[in-house]
Amino acid sequence: MENSGPYAGSLSFSVRVRRGLPDFLNSVNLKYVRLGLEISSSGKISVHDVIPIGALFIVGLLGLIIYIYLDLSPRSTYLVDFACYRPPNELKISKDEFIELAKKSGKFNGAAIEFQRRALKNSGIGDETYMPRVVFQPGHKITLKDGREEAAMVMFGAVDDLLAATRIRPRDIRILVVNCGILNTTPSLSSMVINHYKLRHDIHSFNLGGMGCAAGIIAIDLAKDLLKAYPGCYALVVSTEVVSYTWYSGNDMDMLLPNCLFRIGAAAMLLSSCRSDRWRSKYELKQLVRTHRGMDNRSFKSIQLREDAERNQGLSVSKDLVEVGGHAIKANITTLGPLVLPVSEQVHFFTNLLFKKRNSSPYIPNYKLAFEHACILATSKKVLDEIQKNLELTEEYMEASRKTLERFGNTSSSSVWYELAYLEANTRIKRGDRIWQLGFGSGFKCNSVVWKALGNVGKPERSPWIQDSN
């Protein structure tokens, strides 16, 4: 410290540099020390002292380009996860027990009992499916109370499993789509879900009714479009059918078949359009094709909810259903084919179509080249046999559908999800695999959706199939 002179009170120091050491005074690092001293003394710093203006401009331009690209590029729809409801064991029913309870109910004559016995025998349904016992009670009539209770049991059971698997908070769900063909209450089933889980007040909710077994894929299509309108959020889809409300208590043969086929079931799916959810999602939606044959009267009347002569309500199934369904499926896969088949297979198909000989059977494209797995709505053994024959599918492709029909019966719109759950439980899904879900139902409608696995899907912790081994 200088004691006198013009520099009195100033601090002075000297630096002794040893031979062979770096020149610290002229090093680059000391420049930043000086800069730090200037900041501490003045409290101000210029951007030009740190980052050249050209580099700053380039960084900003790149950021703007990335933002515009991400904003304008279409968002993918991801299936984060799904869950299928497994009813309690006390609701299990065998085919023999079904017939015995139907006899004791006193609602069916001998011809109706025999028809149901034959239908069950040839249905492909096993002895461990689930049904509500209330429909067999003597004098039972369809009530809203029974329908609501069954709907609450299956819907909440599926959604509970889904929320536990994904760890998503209910308030994070902004879109809700519920589909159920027959039961349509006031308030709606979607309102029941909102009330039970206390979903957010500004949720976009939709309730699809009267659309049959094909409604599950329609619900996925609606959720996909809503996710485009409201990007970066979650959509919950719930698909079910209420068996106690589809039950028929008369003797009209055309209306007895649904009694033998429909069983309790529901599925819940969580979809997202947020890019950051890709890493945790199981599947990405690749294609969705819908076909409606309602303009044709035979198709329109093939499945109807009506009353018989004694005013008993039930679903009437036309004898033309298999033929009508075949036309709808053909129209649907004809549209789907060019979107999923390899170019070589498309060329082969159109060449055969142009130059085929008279009276020769048309060439059926090899759809096994387009998908690794198929989940075809498990309606009945006869329908599955016809689809397998016409599309020339192997038993491996039909396994999930047949096993689901045997174990859970026809659960309507949720059936294709039990089939996908079967594939997951048996660790069949590998990264890049394409899964085809095919649903069809009243109207007459046929819908296809194609998913691509984003990774190897291991055996899930919660599954209606895995619990069989516990």
Side-chain angles (χ1 to χ4, degrees), residues 63-106:
L64 180 62
I65 292 173
I66 293 173
Y67 173 80
I68 294 174
Y69 172 77
L70 293 177
D71 187 61
L72 296 180
S73 60
R75 289 176 177 263
S76 296
T77 300
Y78 302 109
L79 175 61
V80 179
D81 208 342
F82 69 97
C84 298
Y85 176 67
R86 179 190 169 106
N89 289 334
E90 56 264 26
L91 295 181
K92 278 187 180 180
I93 188 169
S94 66
K95 289 177 284 189
D96 290 339
E97 186 182 5
F98 181 102
I99 296 300
E100 289 302 315
L101 290 174
K103 287 180 180 179
K104 293 178 180 179
S105 69

Side-chain angles (χ1 to χ4, degrees), residues 12-23:
S12 63
F13 62 93
S14 63
V15 178
R16 179 179 297 173
V17 180
R18 295 183 180 179
R19 183 173 299 176
L21 293 177
D23 186 359

